[in-house]
Amino acid sequence: MAPSAAPAVELDVAGRTVRVSSPDRLVFPERGLSKLQVVEYFLAVGDGILGALLHRPTTLERWPKGFFDGAVMATRADSRGDAFYQKRLPQGAPEYVETATIAFPSGRTAAEVAPSELAVVAWAANLGTLTFHPWPVRRDDVEAVDQLRIDLDPQPGTTFDDAAKVAPMLREVLGELGLTGYPKTSGGRGLHVFVPLAPQWTFGQARRATIAIGRELERRLPDAVTTKWWKEERGQKIFVDYNQMARDRTIASAYSIRARAQATVSAPLRWDEVGEVQPADFDVLTMPARFAEVGDLFAPLRADRDPALDCSLDAALELARRDEEEHGLGDLPYPPEYPKMAGEPKRVQPSRDRDRPKG
């Protein structure tokens, strides 16, 4: 990619000066979107993106070369790539960038960016951050989960429309459990529903509650929903990805940009919109006008929200208890990079499990 010839631009962001280097560098070539336009997008939805990240340890998904055809994300197995996840505070960060110390499943710790003001978002965008991945905790207590995050993940052969058809039943189940959900597009094919919680729940409890909610959806919509961890067992259904509530698993924040050619964004929705829209309706160019019109639909999820909005997991955990005691439905597998967890069943792909009963 040819270097930018344009001089750096300095932006005033709520009293902070944020420098945008190479402002004309194309970040999304197919849309003709420059780095400066990406930064300006985040400023246009400033109250929303800051509310989604406020005081939360946040992993930065950085695409310093922009997103282009053939761009690849670096992985644990291969660190080479055009993009990477930054879990630790980048070197040279301004003094106003605050952090929170979090612990990974491995036991290692890191000081992650914990945004406290909009300038931090603009600074991160200048580094090539497109997607922000905040933890469901606050920096003052990183063990207390204050958001339940339910990921309706379309499997091969299904689409966003299929996830949208499941959403009303999910809303019904949540309501029966005393939980208020707020939907958003993932920016890709999926649908996310977040629930504000009183900040008193462990990751294990939040994950267990998500499994119970997923299983209840599976019972009510057996032809449309699955909680099967192994892909070979899921079929053409919507997978309730319960492991998104495991420690160190995060979901793209509301208003984040996704690394897709169209520069789509994760857009909060009203419930009555879920079956009427498509993820492609919301991108870097269209979202600012929508935000100006509807405001921050995810404001009830902010870390500084009114505690009266907080919900309890008691009923969902009671459902999990009944599932286990009455139906023998206990825990489900964790992701492969996690250590063996207490109460977890055998973590073996069914087709390779020699001890699995043959039907």
Side-chain angles (χ1 to χ4, degrees), residues 61-75 78-85 259:
E61 183 181 325
R62 294 177 57 184
W63 293 79
K65 301 176 184 178
F67 180 80
F68 51 91
D69 186 37
V72 296
M73 172 69 72
T75 65
D78 185 355
S79 61
R80 296 169 298 178
D82 304 292
F84 57 95
Y85 293 104

Side-chain angles (χ1 to χ4, degrees), residues 55-120:
H55 305 318
R56 300 189 182 281
T58 300
T59 298
L60 309 179
E61 183 181 325
R62 294 177 57 184
W63 293 79
K65 301 176 184 178
F67 180 80
F68 51 91
D69 186 37
V72 296
M73 172 69 72
T75 65
R76 290 183 179 86
D78 185 355
S79 61
R80 296 169 298 178
D82 304 292
F84 57 95
Y85 293 104
Q86 179 107 41
K87 293 190 174 184
R88 289 174 168 78
L89 179 70
Q91 292 185 345
E95 50 82 23
Y96 59 79
V97 179
E98 299 182 13
T99 63
T101 300
I102 48 86
F104 302 119
S106 65
R108 295 180 296 110
T109 60
E112 282 203 341
V113 173
S116 58
E117 56 183 288
L118 188 55
V120 176

Side-chain angles (χ1 to χ4, degrees), residues 43-59:
L43 298 182
V45 297
D47 286 346
I49 187 66
L50 180 59
L53 308 178
L54 189 64
H55 305 318
R56 300 189 182 281
T58 300
T59 298

Side-chain angles (χ1 to χ4, degrees), residues 27 38 100 116 153 229:
V27 177
V38 166
S116 58
D153 184 11
W229 175 246

Side-chain angles (χ1 to χ4, degrees), residues 97-354:
V97 179
E98 299 182 13
T99 63
T101 300
I102 48 86
F104 302 119
S106 65
R108 295 180 296 110
T109 60
E112 282 203 341
V113 173
S116 58
E117 56 183 288
L118 188 55
V120 176
V121 177
W123 160 79
N126 179 60
L127 296 181
T129 303
L130 297 180
T131 311
F132 294 85
H133 298 265
W135 284 50
V137 300
R138 307 171 189 181
R139 60 172 298 184
D140 58 352
D141 188 348
V142 296
E143 298 301 322
V145 173
D146 79 324
Q147 290 179 346
L148 197 69
R149 300 170 172 181
I150 301 171
D151 181 5
L152 299 180
D153 184 11
Q155 298 306 289
T158 63
T159 66
F160 176 84
D161 289 338
D162 296 296
K165 291 175 184 176
V166 170
M169 183 61 75
L170 172 58
R171 187 186 189 189
E172 181 176 317
V173 171
L174 292 176
E176 292 172 7
L177 297 173
L179 302 171
T180 302
Y182 297 85
K184 69 180 181 70
T185 68
S186 68
R189 299 169 62 243
L191 185 69
H192 301 155
V193 178
F194 282 24
V195 177
L197 301 176
Q200 65 187 58
W201 308 97
T202 67
F203 282 96
Q205 288 173 318
R207 179 179 174 276
R208 194 73 180 86
T210 305
I211 290 172
I213 291 166
R215 282 173 168 158
E216 185 61 24
L217 270 180
E218 199 171 22
R219 281 189 285 266
R220 298 188 189 191
L221 299 172
D223 295 329
V225 175
T226 182
T227 58
K228 299 292 187 183
W229 175 246
W230 302 104
K231 292 182 179 179
E232 65 187 40
E233 294 187 306
R234 293 178 190 169
Q236 294 185 9
K237 299 181 180 182
I238 300 300
F239 172 50
V240 180
D241 190 353
Y242 59 88
N243 270 329
Q244 293 290 21
M245 281 309 311
R247 178 187 293 278
D248 194 33
R249 282 298 185 98
T250 55
I251 289 180
S253 77
Y255 309 104
S256 275
I257 306 171
R258 306 315 303 270
R260 296 174 177 270
Q262 191 181 338
T264 52
V265 305
S266 182
L269 303 173
R270 300 186 183 97
W271 275 108
D272 62 5
E273 294 179 303
V274 170
E276 305 298 327
V277 300
Q278 290 294 316
D281 295 338
F282 312 102
D283 61 29
V284 168
L285 296 178
T286 64
M287 193 65 190
R290 173 176 169 83
F291 186 80
E293 177 185 355
V294 305
D296 182 13
L297 299 179
F298 255 43
L301 281 304
R302 292 174 61 103
D304 60 354
R305 63 181 175 262
D306 183 345
L309 295 169
D310 290 343
C311 300
S312 168
L313 286 181
D314 284 340
L317 291 173
E318 172 61 18
L319 178 61
R321 184 196 64 77
R322 293 200 308 270
D323 276 348
E324 185 161 16
E325 294 185 0
E326 299 174 13
H327 306 291
L329 299 174
D331 203 353
L332 290 172
Y334 275 77
E337 71 273 16
Y338 282 61
K340 183 69 175 179
M341 307 297 283
E344 181 188 1
K346 183 187 294 187
R347 199 185 298 174
V348 178
Q349 189 172 336
S351 61
R352 298 181 180 180
D353 185 0
R354 295 181 181 179

